[in-house]
Amino acid sequence: MKDKMDKKPTITTSCSHTSLQIFHGARKEGMKSIGIAVGERPRVYEAFPLARPDDFFLIGDYKDLLKQEVAEALEDKGCVIIPHGSFVEYMGSKNFKKIRIPVYGNKAVLDWESDRKKEREWLEGAGLKMPRDIKSLSDIDGPVIVKYGGAKGGKGFFIAKSREEVENRLNGKREYIMQEFIPGTRFYFHYFYSPIRRDGYRVAEGSLQLLSIDRRVESNIDEIYRLGSISELQERGESPGFTVTGNINLVLRESLLGRVLDMGARTIEESLRLFGGLWGPFCLETVIDKDLNIYVFEISARIVAGTNIAVPESPYSAYIEPGLTTGRRIAQELKYAYKNRVLDRILS
Amino acid sequence: MKDKMDKKPTITTSCSHTSLQIFHGARKEGMKSIGIAVGERPRVYEAFPLARPDDFFLIGDYKDLLKQEVAEALEDKGCVIIPHGSFVEYMGSKNFKKIRIPVYGNKAVLDWESDRKKEREWLEGAGLKMPRDIKSLSDIDGPVIVKYGGAKGGKGFFIAKSREEVENRLNGKREYIMQEFIPGTRFYFHYFYSPIRRDGYRVAEGSLQLLSIDRRVESNIDEIYRLGSISELQERGESPGFTVTGNINLVLRESLLGRVLDMGARTIEESLRLFGGLWGPFCLETVIDKDLNIYVFEISARIVAGTNIAVPESPYSAYIEPGLTTGRRIAQELKYAYKNRVLDRILS
Amino acid sequence: MKDKMDKKPTITTSCSHTSLQIFHGARKEGMKSIGIAVGERPRVYEAFPLARPDDFFLIGDYKDLLKQEVAEALEDKGCVIIPHGSFVEYMGSKNFKKIRIPVYGNKAVLDWESDRKKEREWLEGAGLKMPRDIKSLSDIDGPVIVKYGGAKGGKGFFIAKSREEVENRLNGKREYIMQEFIPGTRFYFHYFYSPIRRDGYRVAEGSLQLLSIDRRVESNIDEIYRLGSISELQERGESPGFTVTGNINLVLRESLLGRVLDMGARTIEESLRLFGGLWGPFCLETVIDKDLNIYVFEISARIVAGTNIAVPESPYSAYIEPGLTTGRRIAQELKYAYKNRVLDRILS
């Protein structure tokens, strides 16, 4: 890959998820950008001129990116792929790992993030609190979420306040897993880790930032109170939905910030120990209970859609650099690595 | 009206609703502004010097605006009225249509917006999904909102989860209408359509923008969960309230933006077919269900109060022009139309 | 104290709560800042370079600030203490009043704010509406909050919809107070009063500003709807929590702004009558019911954590001065007072 690293990187991502933010960030840093789209040029960028990519690259299917001629065409343009949640989903995690085009970030993280057991090994290894997995009905001693196998995007989940309620509601013929439900308030922390710069919060050989915080808006669970309690609906045989429709902006109680930075730091350190490290943007998805315990229920090892609320800047990035977003921070990192000839250390 | 169009427009609106934003926008664009107020000069602008109008115009009653001498005085100052929700409400829709002073926007839209049937004809004609009107009890097959005739601002509404609940709770002596209740999360989209510029998302002869998104905060329904479920309260004979007290900022899942722009575009196209067009700021008020269907429950054909949260800019306007608000966009439009001698095309 | 006032003030506060904002504001105004911390230099500022204090001052315990040598060391550096909620809590209100180092604001306010009866005397004297204290069970005619004596941070609170529910749930062996529960939506108004400037909303000899508005995020009450209704949980013997974990940004219905400014003005006027005045940042914590009555349930007589959401500016401060936060406003006030040799009028 080394020889591909001589070109000035062209910020490249698929036209969804956080692409407006990524292209906008590239433009702010004077970097070229390319939007990958299936079929035809998406019209949405007409409405947002400062977030338009410099060019589009149309494909028939995401698997095309595995074809040699496509990879070569993109490499010729100096493309570096910025992965986001939809990009990985569109391609499938397996295919994504086969991409020959340089990808920003460590592809090895995919194995650790998509496997629930490995994710737990990683995060608990880093000393983070997680909601317990509950193996059997007799282990239930408080509220739980029950997730049927194959249920997607929250469909087929249900929430129960007790063992009795689980037993009443459970469809025993379907496979399911149970997880402790932590009553609290959700905070999604948007970190950025640079292994090549040392000007922020020092972690290992690099530096960590907290760029913003969001809370997801999920349909219909987040406005279900307008209709009645979730228990009433579940009793009527309806499942609440947990489909993400948007995000709101949040700040955290300042006295918890130290702990949150430390959590990010330990996540990085453990990733270095386990699989060569996580770098770039990542997100710890948490719920904070009434005793201020912070439980991590998931990690996203790349830019999350919640960062879109932190445009043009957040109450945290304003303390780092005016006008800083995660999208822009990515562009800064690639520019810095290019100038300092260390691109190979942040691509995979 | 043509001869009135030679003057540089003075941005004029009544001192409420979104007036701070409108005057602030005028100032940013170097336009003069006048605040219409009843009785005495409102003190609120003392606290917000950058959102102060250049001058006030005091009246005894909103109907005074229909008097010839008042109209002439305002016309002499080059006033163009920027209508907002409170302005139209203060005057009454009938009186508003009689105003001789130039109004920004198409007054013909009032007939289509205030009549529930015509509104539905327009929006469904544009291909938008709306919650169903429910004609009789036997048509109820899910949650509904029941609205008694003459109920204002959400008073006398109730929400029921089933036909049985409607029947138990209904006061049969009062007139009522029923509408399907869509469980989901609310998004209010703030569009701006210019029929005279072609530099955004192209629609008909003009261009469309999405400047921001908000969610209304309604009292007391939006914090009722702190007291108990809405069903419990309704059982105790209390009605929830839907009074708008404020707004919060939101971003939308990016993959839905294309659809949302298209919805705006079709709304404009249908308005052109039906009544000569809608232009300027408008808002589609929607709820997005767990399957990502977007239901429009209302259109506001002018600047909505939710745009106040998007000051000094929004995560969307930041992609168009730094520091852009709907208030400022209105001033830009009038300035552009004045300079290009096409004011007559955007006033009515 | 007069002779201490000749030095250019060094903005000094303890490293928590709103300290990032306060140090960031000082930096923006070209003022020096010092962060007081217990034990060791907190690492959190590494992550936020623009909000780092110029220096740290380490102590073993907050009571050290009462020691003469510590006070002298800080005075030598020109320190002016900016009190915030955590600072006062760490020291204890009694000790805080004994501090010899100059404090921004009027220490006399502590007596009026920490005593529930005096707080009510002050705010009702100012003509503000407050939720009623309920003396006996027979006075209950609607929803109430019951607070057991010694319950902290919302632990041991419960909410009841009726007298019957209170009677069923009450643990008669514990001391308790009851307060009317106002169903509505919460708004926390962030004011700033300057007794030495006359360029905003005129009050007494000075001027009042409204810099921002937030809503607290409280765990777990604010997401309890995801699990079930609060009544269901309380029936199961669980208490909801009201622990503040963060804040979101809000705007208020514009037509209420005049009333909100007037409420702030009357609070100041009454404070002048009662105890020599409140000045600097303060917050009225309110709930607005469905009839748009604004009930004040508490006053915070200094910078509140909710202002952290209004960084780098709010939809209101944008109308006053771009980039204005409460933290920055404090720095502006001290700079202005120093230049105009009236520091003695704002310290105590």
Side-chain angles (χ1 to χ4, degrees):
Chain A
M1 198 183 281
K2 198 70 182 174
D3 59 317
K4 299 171 193 165
M5 305 293 154
D6 294 338
K7 285 212 189 73
K8 186 165 181 191
T10 298
I11 304 274
T12 304
T13 198
S14 71
C15 289
S16 188
H17 193 269
T18 41
S19 70
L20 291 159
Q21 187 194 151
I22 292 168
F23 300 140
H24 180 250
R27 189 176 290 258
K28 285 259 184 183
E29 295 297 322
M31 310 276 285
K32 291 278 170 211
S33 63
I34 286 182
I36 297 174
V38 170
E40 55 187 9
R41 185 179 285 230
R43 290 197 56 198
V44 70
Y45 303 94
E46 292 176 26
F48 304 111
L50 303 183
R52 219 175 262 171
D54 291 300
D55 209 350
F56 289 95
F57 188 89
L58 301 182
I59 52 179
D61 185 284
Y62 272 94
K63 293 200 187 76
D64 290 356
L65 295 176
L66 300 177
K67 292 182 187 161
Q68 190 168 343
E69 68 272 23
V70 171
E72 277 169 10
L74 286 168
E75 280 167 24
D76 282 350
K77 296 170 192 285
C79 287
V80 168
I81 298 232
I82 312 300
H84 54 56
S86 302
F87 202 140
V88 174
E89 195 192 317
Y90 293 155
M91 288 214 67
S93 164
K94 265 191 196 165
N95 283 325
F96 189 80
K97 281 190 285 180
K98 292 188 208 149
I99 287 185
R100 283 184 41 201
I101 311 150
V103 167
Y104 173 53
N106 184 358
K107 280 185 209 159
V109 77
L110 280 166
D111 292 329
W112 287 83
E113 180 197 30
S114 56
D115 176 318
R116 293 176 51 80
K117 273 193 194 157
K118 285 187 141 179
E119 186 189 35
R120 188 173 282 271
E121 182 188 337
W122 174 14
L123 299 179
E124 290 188 342
L128 309 187
K129 267 199 190 81
M130 296 185 78
R132 276 181 307 130
D133 276 336
I134 293 175
K135 308 288 181 213
S136 81
L137 293 172
S138 58
D139 293 341
I140 299 175
D141 59 356
V144 295
I145 312 190
V146 180
K147 304 178 186 184
Y148 289 115
K152 244 190 113 173
K155 282 180 196 173
F157 285 20
F158 74 85
I159 287 175
K161 288 176 289 307
S162 65
R163 176 176 174 174
E164 193 193 358
E165 203 178 323
V166 175
E167 288 174 339
N168 287 341
R169 205 159 282 166
L170 197 64
N171 180 340
K173 291 182 188 151
R174 298 178 63 181
E175 268 187 74
Y176 63 91
I177 59 162
M178 293 184 293
Q179 196 170 53
E180 186 186 11
F181 179 92
I182 308 288
T185 48
R186 288 163 297 146
F187 288 81
Y188 297 74
F189 299 108
H190 313 150
Y191 299 91
F192 191 95
Y193 178 65
S194 168
I196 56 175
R197 291 181 63 168
R198 299 167 69 89
D199 50 359
Y201 186 92
R202 291 283 297 280
V203 178
E205 297 304 304
S207 93
L208 180 69
Q209 295 171 317
L210 179 71
L211 293 177
S212 46
I213 305 175
D214 84 293
R215 181 168 77 212
R216 287 193 187 153
V217 177
E218 294 175 345
S219 179
N220 51 30
I221 186 80
D222 278 331
E223 299 202 32
I224 206 68
Y225 61 83
R226 292 171 77 95
L227 178 56
S229 85
I230 183 173
S231 319
E232 291 169 325
L233 297 171
Q234 290 185 155
E235 268 156 36
R236 298 169 45 76
E238 288 163 36
S239 304
F242 295 82
T243 312
V244 181
T245 50
N247 307 82
I248 68 163
N249 189 28
L250 278 181
V251 287
L252 179 72
R253 188 180 175 120
E254 188 172 309
S255 59
L256 302 180
L257 277 180
R259 239 201 284 164
V260 166
L261 284 164
D262 186 52
M263 286 165 58
R266 283 185 281 130
T267 302
I268 294 300
E269 281 157 2
E270 186 70 4
S271 75
L272 284 163
R273 208 180 63 77
L274 291 174
F275 56 85
L278 163 69
W279 62 81
F282 68 102
C283 176
L284 292 179
E285 309 180 11
T286 75
V287 61
I288 305 183
D289 75 7
K290 61 183 175 177
D291 300 315
L292 299 178
N293 296 300
I294 306 177
Y295 290 88
V296 178
F297 53 87
E298 204 161 325
I299 184 169
S300 285
R302 60 194 60 75
I303 187 170
V304 289
T307 58
N308 288 337
I309 194 71
V311 176
E313 63 196 315
S314 85
Y316 296 101
S317 72
Y319 294 148
I320 301 172
E321 184 185 332
L324 186 61
T325 63
T326 294
R328 186 173 185 179
R329 185 64 190 82
I330 291 170
Q332 287 178 345
E333 189 76 351
L334 287 166
K335 191 161 80 170
Y336 179 92
Y338 171 70
K339 283 195 178 160
N340 292 278
R341 305 189 154 270
V342 290
L343 264 175
D344 59 307
R345 288 178 52 195
I346 60 168
L347 306 184
S348 74
Chain B
M1 198 183 282
K2 197 71 182 171
D3 59 316
K4 299 171 194 166
M5 304 294 152
D6 295 337
K7 286 213 188 70
K8 186 165 180 191
T10 298
I11 305 274
T12 304
T13 198
S14 72
C15 289
S16 188
H17 193 270
T18 41
S19 70
L20 290 159
Q21 188 194 150
I22 291 168
F23 299 140
H24 180 251
R27 188 176 291 256
K28 286 259 185 185
E29 295 297 322
M31 309 276 285
K32 291 280 171 208
S33 63
I34 286 181
I36 297 174
V38 171
E40 55 187 8
R41 182 178 288 230
R43 289 197 57 197
V44 71
Y45 303 94
E46 291 176 26
F48 305 110
L50 304 183
R52 219 173 263 171
D54 291 299
D55 209 349
F56 290 95
F57 189 88
L58 301 181
I59 52 178
D61 184 285
Y62 272 94
K63 293 201 187 76
D64 290 355
L65 295 176
L66 299 177
K67 292 182 186 161
Q68 189 167 346
E69 67 272 22
V70 171
E72 277 169 12
L74 286 169
E75 280 167 25
D76 282 349
K77 296 169 194 285
C79 287
V80 167
I81 297 231
I82 313 301
H84 54 57
S86 302
F87 201 140
V88 173
E89 196 192 318
Y90 293 155
M91 287 213 67
S93 165
K94 264 192 195 162
N95 283 326
F96 189 80
K97 283 191 283 182
K98 290 186 207 150
I99 288 185
R100 284 184 41 201
I101 311 150
V103 167
Y104 173 54
N106 183 358
K107 280 184 211 160
V109 77
L110 280 165
D111 292 329
W112 287 83
E113 179 196 32
S114 56
D115 176 317
R116 294 177 50 82
K117 274 193 193 157
K118 286 188 139 177
E119 187 189 35
R120 187 171 284 271
E121 181 187 336
W122 174 14
L123 299 180
E124 290 188 341
L128 309 187
K129 268 198 190 83
M130 297 185 78
R132 275 180 307 129
D133 276 337
I134 294 175
K135 309 287 184 215
S136 82
L137 292 173
S138 59
D139 293 341
I140 299 176
D141 59 358
V144 294
I145 312 189
V146 180
K147 304 178 186 184
Y148 289 114
K152 243 190 113 173
K155 282 182 197 172
F157 284 21
F158 74 85
I159 287 175
K161 289 179 288 307
S162 65
R163 177 177 173 174
E164 194 193 0
E165 203 177 324
V166 175
E167 286 174 338
N168 287 340
R169 206 159 282 167
L170 198 63
N171 179 341
K173 290 181 190 151
R174 298 177 63 181
E175 270 189 71
Y176 64 91
I177 59 161
M178 293 185 292
Q179 196 171 53
E180 186 185 10
F181 179 92
I182 307 288
T185 47
R186 289 163 297 146
F187 288 81
Y188 296 75
F189 299 108
H190 313 151
Y191 300 92
F192 190 95
Y193 178 65
S194 168
I196 55 175
R197 291 181 62 169
R198 297 168 70 90
D199 49 359
Y201 186 92
R202 292 283 297 280
V203 178
E205 298 303 304
S207 94
L208 181 70
Q209 294 172 316
L210 179 71
L211 293 176
S212 46
I213 306 176
D214 84 295
R215 181 167 76 213
R216 286 192 188 154
V217 176
E218 294 175 344
S219 178
N220 51 27
I221 186 80
D222 278 330
E223 298 202 32
I224 205 69
Y225 60 85
R226 292 172 75 96
L227 178 57
S229 85
I230 183 173
S231 319
E232 292 170 322
L233 298 172
Q234 291 185 153
E235 269 157 36
R236 297 168 45 75
E238 288 163 36
S239 306
F242 296 82
T243 312
V244 181
T245 50
N247 307 82
I248 68 162
N249 190 28
L250 279 181
V251 287
L252 179 73
R253 187 181 175 119
E254 188 173 308
S255 59
L256 301 181
L257 277 181
R259 237 201 286 164
V260 166
L261 284 165
D262 185 52
M263 286 165 59
R266 283 184 282 131
T267 302
I268 294 299
E269 282 156 3
E270 186 70 4
S271 75
L272 285 163
R273 208 180 63 76
L274 291 174
F275 56 84
L278 164 69
W279 62 82
F282 68 101
C283 175
L284 292 179
E285 309 180 10
T286 76
V287 61
I288 305 184
D289 75 8
K290 60 182 176 177
D291 300 315
L292 299 178
N293 295 300
I294 307 176
Y295 290 87
V296 178
F297 53 87
E298 204 162 323
I299 184 169
S300 285
R302 60 195 62 75
I303 187 169
V304 289
T307 58
N308 288 336
I309 194 70
V311 175
E313 62 197 314
S314 85
Y316 297 101
S317 72
Y319 294 148
I320 301 172
E321 183 185 332
L324 185 63
T325 63
T326 294
R328 186 173 184 179
R329 185 65 191 82
I330 291 170
Q332 287 179 343
E333 189 77 352
L334 287 166
K335 190 162 81 172
Y336 179 93
Y338 171 70
K339 283 196 180 159
N340 291 278
R341 304 187 155 272
V342 290
L343 265 175
D344 59 309
R345 288 178 52 195
I346 60 168
L347 305 184
S348 74
Chain C
M1 196 181 284
K2 198 69 181 173
D3 58 316
K4 300 171 194 166
M5 306 294 154
D6 294 338
K7 286 213 187 71
K8 187 167 180 189
T10 298
I11 303 274
T12 304
T13 199
S14 71
C15 289
S16 188
H17 194 270
T18 41
S19 70
L20 290 159
Q21 188 195 150
I22 291 168
F23 299 140
H24 180 252
R27 188 176 290 257
K28 286 258 184 186
E29 295 297 322
M31 309 277 284
K32 291 280 170 207
S33 63
I34 285 181
I36 297 173
V38 170
E40 54 187 9
R41 184 178 287 231
R43 290 197 56 198
V44 71
Y45 304 94
E46 291 176 27
F48 304 110
L50 303 182
R52 219 174 262 172
D54 290 299
D55 209 350
F56 290 94
F57 188 88
L58 301 182
I59 53 177
D61 184 284
Y62 272 94
K63 292 199 188 77
D64 290 356
L65 295 176
L66 299 177
K67 291 183 187 160
Q68 188 168 345
E69 68 272 23
V70 171
E72 278 170 11
L74 286 169
E75 280 167 25
D76 282 351
K77 296 170 194 282
C79 287
V80 168
I81 298 232
I82 313 299
H84 54 56
S86 303
F87 202 140
V88 173
E89 195 192 318
Y90 293 155
M91 289 213 66
S93 165
K94 265 190 196 164
N95 283 325
F96 189 81
K97 281 190 284 180
K98 290 186 208 149
I99 288 185
R100 283 184 43 201
I101 311 149
V103 167
Y104 173 53
N106 184 359
K107 279 184 211 160
V109 77
L110 280 165
D111 292 327
W112 288 84
E113 180 197 29
S114 55
D115 176 318
R116 293 177 51 81
K117 272 192 194 159
K118 285 186 139 179
E119 186 189 34
R120 187 172 285 270
E121 183 188 336
W122 175 12
L123 299 180
E124 290 188 341
L128 308 186
K129 266 196 192 86
M130 297 185 77
R132 276 180 307 129
D133 276 335
I134 293 175
K135 309 287 182 212
S136 81
L137 292 172
S138 58
D139 293 340
I140 298 175
D141 60 358
V144 294
I145 311 189
V146 180
K147 305 178 186 183
Y148 288 114
K152 242 192 113 176
K155 284 182 196 172
F157 284 21
F158 74 86
I159 286 175
K161 289 177 288 307
S162 64
R163 177 176 173 173
E164 194 193 358
E165 203 177 324
V166 175
E167 287 173 339
N168 287 341
R169 204 158 284 165
L170 198 63
N171 180 341
K173 290 181 191 152
R174 297 178 63 182
E175 268 188 73
Y176 63 92
I177 58 161
M178 294 184 292
Q179 196 170 55
E180 187 187 9
F181 179 93
I182 307 288
T185 48
R186 287 164 299 147
F187 288 80
Y188 296 75
F189 299 107
H190 313 151
Y191 300 90
F192 190 96
Y193 179 65
S194 168
I196 56 175
R197 291 181 62 169
R198 297 168 69 90
D199 50 359
Y201 186 92
R202 291 284 296 282
V203 178
E205 298 304 305
S207 93
L208 181 70
Q209 294 172 316
L210 179 71
L211 293 176
S212 46
I213 306 175
D214 84 293
R215 182 168 75 212
R216 287 193 187 154
V217 176
E218 294 175 342
S219 178
N220 51 26
I221 185 81
D222 277 331
E223 298 202 32
I224 205 70
Y225 61 85
R226 292 172 76 96
L227 177 57
S229 85
I230 184 173
S231 320
E232 291 170 323
L233 297 171
Q234 291 186 155
E235 269 157 36
R236 297 169 43 76
E238 289 162 37
S239 304
F242 296 83
T243 311
V244 180
T245 51
N247 307 82
I248 68 163
N249 190 28
L250 278 181
V251 286
L252 179 72
R253 188 182 175 118
E254 188 172 309
S255 60
L256 301 180
L257 277 180
R259 238 201 285 163
V260 166
L261 284 164
D262 185 52
M263 285 165 59
R266 283 184 282 130
T267 302
I268 295 300
E269 282 157 1
E270 186 70 4
S271 74
L272 285 163
R273 208 180 61 77
L274 291 175
F275 56 85
L278 164 69
W279 61 83
F282 68 102
C283 176
L284 292 179
E285 309 181 10
T286 75
V287 60
I288 305 183
D289 74 9
K290 62 182 176 178
D291 299 315
L292 299 179
N293 295 301
I294 306 178
Y295 289 87
V296 178
F297 53 87
E298 204 162 324
I299 184 169
S300 285
R302 60 195 60 76
I303 187 170
V304 289
T307 58
N308 288 335
I309 194 71
V311 175
E313 62 196 316
S314 85
Y316 297 101
S317 73
Y319 294 148
I320 301 172
E321 183 184 333
L324 186 61
T325 63
T326 295
R328 185 172 186 182
R329 186 66 190 81
I330 291 170
Q332 287 179 345
E333 189 77 352
L334 287 166
K335 192 162 80 171
Y336 179 93
Y338 171 70
K339 284 196 179 159
N340 291 277
R341 305 189 155 270
V342 289
L343 264 175
D344 58 309
R345 288 177 54 195
I346 61 169
L347 305 184
S348 75

